[in-house]
Amino acid sequence: MSGRDAILGRVRRALGADSDDAMRLQAVEKRLARPPKGVIPARGQGSAAEKLHLFCTEAEAVHATLVKVRGPEGVPAAVAAYLRAKNLPAELRMGSDRRLKAMPWQRQRSLTVRYGASDGDDLTGVSHAFAGIAETGSVVLHSGADNPTTVNFLPEHHIVVIEAKDIVGDLETALGRVRRKFGRGEMPRTVNMITGPSRSADIEQRLLLGAHGPRSLHLIVVEG
Amino acid sequence: MQIGSPAFKQNAHDALGDVQLQKALGNVRRGFIDKRKKATDRLPEFDALRDEAKRIKDHTLSHLDFYLEAYERKVTASGGRVHWAETAEDARNIVLDICQAARARSVTKGKSMITEEIALNDFLAENGIRPVETDLGEYIIQLRGEHPSHIIAPAVHLNKEQVEMDFRRVHDHLPVARDLSEPEALLNEARMVLRKEYVTADVGITGANFLVAETGSSIIVTNEGNGDLTQALPKVHVVVASIEKVVPTLEDASQILRVLARSATGQETSVYTTVSTGPRRKGDPDGPEEYHVILLDNGRSSMLGTEFQDMLRCIRCGACMNHCPVYHAVGGHAYGWVYPGPMGAVLTPSLIGVDKAGHLPNASTFCGRCEEVCPMRIPLPRMMRNWREREFERRLNPAAQRFGLRFWAFFARRPRLYKLGAGLVIPFLAALGGRKRRLGWLPLAGGWTRHREMPAPESRTFMQQWRDRETLKQDAGR
């Protein structure tokens, strides 16, 4: 007997589960098809302006930095300003995401942009978020041909562009949007929910930023 | 790992006399409790979420067979592979097969208690594959040849000076004169050393906080980002998870995630919550080419349908040990196996046998804080009592203790005799306590009074006082 049959057999015996199989299976199928929503914290359920405000407050509370720009064409200048303020070289790594590519990077003369996955030698990476979560100040990113996961983790500094209209109140709504985009039960290879820069408190419970992932997380919120 | 649980009493004794350990344990007492309180106070829905989290797991456990099958179908459909392991040995062998097929020389590991449970690192090393722990705490204790002393803060038993000594010993290619006196310097050094490991590893192994039946995904939460580098960079990603990690849907995982980080570290949410589904897709520029999940039973199925089923709701947040006076006093290593604290006191006997782990459910003051803070509302004290009962039934506890219990039970079942006996003994002990109302000596309880004084009882028995109170109340009501 395979490990699979042995384990499932033991589980069924322990649950006393041969008589009411049909009913139990029905309960399972129903829940998978129509997930109950559960308890959603009220704090993220305000107006769009309140959601944006909460998103910013929560993100900054966990040491993300944040700047707002008007329209996507303002992003490259905001990125260049951030690099200058941090005294970083004018070099970026990003995926070939359409929304990022459409931005006027060429206007930032000295800026070098490399496209594709990160090889670990990039100091600064730029990603475009799929959604933001107001209740925790998190950004949601998903992998795909134009969105390498390595850009989210290998660079020392991670800049994430998020459109204000993509900020939702709660985690369930954000994952619901992933589901709508990819279809029920289908997922991209990875969905990353990122809340602040990398950290560790493993030495004497002292909080230190920049453990293995980016040392800083900079959010550029695009309004209008 | 070697089972040290039978020596709990000696371990605890040694731990109490260990100056370094006692200093480090101060960090547990100070940090975790306040942080959790602040985070839970900030979320008015916290208790409602605990109820919901409990309901979700109870529902899943009573339909576990179907959810596991549904989960397996989705993993397969997304291009991943599910392996079923009945025992720790099965799981180790499956991991080794995968590593050997990938011609792996080194594997990186995200923090995972389940791979501690199956003692994976030693096994891989014996078979010529170098395992590298990447969580900072896990990395430190791997250098020391130790095991985690806490399920979410594995190196909480250490002070920074100890870590510095280990880094100097192991990273001997770095300049001797470098300054490692501050934790920042230690973190940066580990970051630099481990960067190379991430890139060269052939296989990345992680645990899972949740498996999602709806999508065939595994979810991990980390603060360092090490789990993500472990699963994104090597060409093979292996997830090792026990069968009770499955939840029905993404909504269910979301509900439980809300109580997990708050209970564990007092964060609103962990820095990285990552949902992984299958290997890299066509056109993806990065990600593993193979995605394997090993579903481990290792004794879980025999907890189902018993008085210990509730333990399978555990999400390994560590709140029970953070609030446990026994853990605060002796730390995690004294418990002698993978899982310390109250959750370990219940789980360890289930997994390695109460004959070996019988001391653990006895190492409790029954203060009840663990159950109070458990996000999954697991009745830990009740289950420790269940283990004590099993121990008694199987005659595993010492003769003197059994005699004492029988002696007490004889009277407890004869209320009149009990009342009479108590009526004689209580005033006697009260008198013995004198003006200080403290007893420095008790017959048959020298082990207790050797280190502290016993508060002397009031001069009247509980039943007598209760009767007086009731009479007073009735008089007042009249």
Side-chain angles (χ1 to χ4, degrees), chain B residues 270-326:
Chain B
S270 305
V271 176
Y272 301 110
T273 300
T274 298
V275 186
S276 301
T277 316
R280 77 160 75 174
R281 305 294 150 80
K282 200 161 172 265
D284 276 1
D286 50 21
E289 287 154 26
E290 289 177 37
Y291 175 84
H292 298 266
V293 184
I294 298 170
L295 285 176
L296 176 71
D297 182 346
N298 208 28
R300 270 79 176 173
S301 58
S302 48
M303 294 164 71
L304 270 181
T306 73
E307 68 262 56
F308 300 110
Q309 174 168 322
D310 290 342
M311 191 61 216
L312 296 174
R313 288 201 300 269
C314 177
I315 53 172
R316 309 289 191 264
C317 69
C320 59
M321 59 198 74
N322 292 342
H323 290 76
C324 176
V326 178

Side-chain angles (χ1 to χ4, degrees), chain A residues 1-8 10-12 14-15 17 20-43 54 58 61-62 116-122 133 135-138 143-158 169-173 175-176 178-179 182-215, chain B residues 23 27-28 32 35 42-43 45 48-49 52 56 59 61-70 72 74 84-86 134-138 140 152-156 158-161 163 182-184 186-188 190-191 194-195 198-199 213-217 223-226 228-229 231-233 243 248-255 257-258 262 267-288 295-297 301-302 304-305 309:
Chain A
M1 190 160 60
S2 74
R4 180 185 191 278
D5 296 341
I7 292 171
L8 288 173
R10 268 202 304 275
V11 168
R12 290 209 171 94
L15 294 173
D20 60 340
D21 262 5
M23 259 177 65
R24 287 171 62 253
L25 185 57
Q26 215 176 23
V28 167
E29 282 169 351
K30 193 178 143 208
R31 193 173 183 113
L32 291 176
R34 282 188 300 283
K37 195 135 198 233
V39 179
I40 307 297
R43 72 152 90 133
L54 181 64
E58 293 295 318
V62 291
S118 174
D119 54 8
D121 293 329
D122 308 301
I133 303 172
E135 67 167 322
T136 48
S138 315
S143 63
D146 302 331
N147 287 292
T149 308
T150 39
V151 174
N152 305 342
F153 294 99
L154 282 173
E156 299 271 303
H157 305 274
H158 190 204
D170 52 88
L171 177 57
E172 282 81 348
T173 306
L175 290 172
V178 174
R179 186 186 277 141
F182 291 87
R184 174 165 296 284
E186 303 301 318
M187 292 290 278
R189 185 191 72 77
T190 187
V191 175
N192 297 120
M193 282 163 278
I194 300 178
T195 316
S198 158
R199 66 200 60 196
S200 174
D202 271 346
I203 300 173
E204 296 189 349
Q205 293 298 294
R206 272 169 58 180
L207 182 69
L208 305 173
L209 297 184
H212 295 288
R215 295 173 193 274
Chain B
K23 184 175 163 227
N27 296 327
V28 179
F32 285 118
K35 285 187 220 154
R42 244 204 97 195
L43 187 70
E45 294 89 352
L49 280 159
E52 187 59 25
I56 289 167
H59 165 82
L61 289 171
S62 60
H63 300 79
L64 187 60
D65 46 342
F66 291 130
Y67 280 120
L68 286 170
E69 286 177 329
E72 182 188 35
K74 291 307 290 187
W84 300 72
E86 285 183 76
T134 61
D135 171 83
L136 179 61
E138 290 279 348
I140 292 167
I152 66 157
V156 77
L158 297 172
N159 299 299
K160 67 176 195 292
E161 293 76 18
V163 180
E182 284 305 310
E184 285 84 351
L186 296 166
L187 175 70
N188 280 332
R191 179 183 170 106
L194 285 168
R195 264 304 156 103
Y198 289 122
V199 184
E214 175 200 357
T215 55
S217 312
N223 282 320
E224 299 184 4
N226 64 307
D228 287 285
L229 290 169
Q231 62 185 26
L233 294 176
I243 53 174
T249 65
L250 292 169
E251 277 80 357
D252 296 310
S254 306
Q255 293 281 302
L257 277 166
R258 275 205 194 85
R262 290 182 173 91
Q267 288 168 285
E268 300 286 320
T269 184
S270 305
V271 176
Y272 301 110
T273 300
T274 298
V275 186
S276 301
T277 316
R280 77 160 75 174
R281 305 294 150 80
K282 200 161 172 265
D284 276 1
D286 50 21
L295 285 176
L296 176 71
D297 182 346
S301 58
S302 48
L304 270 181
Q309 174 168 322

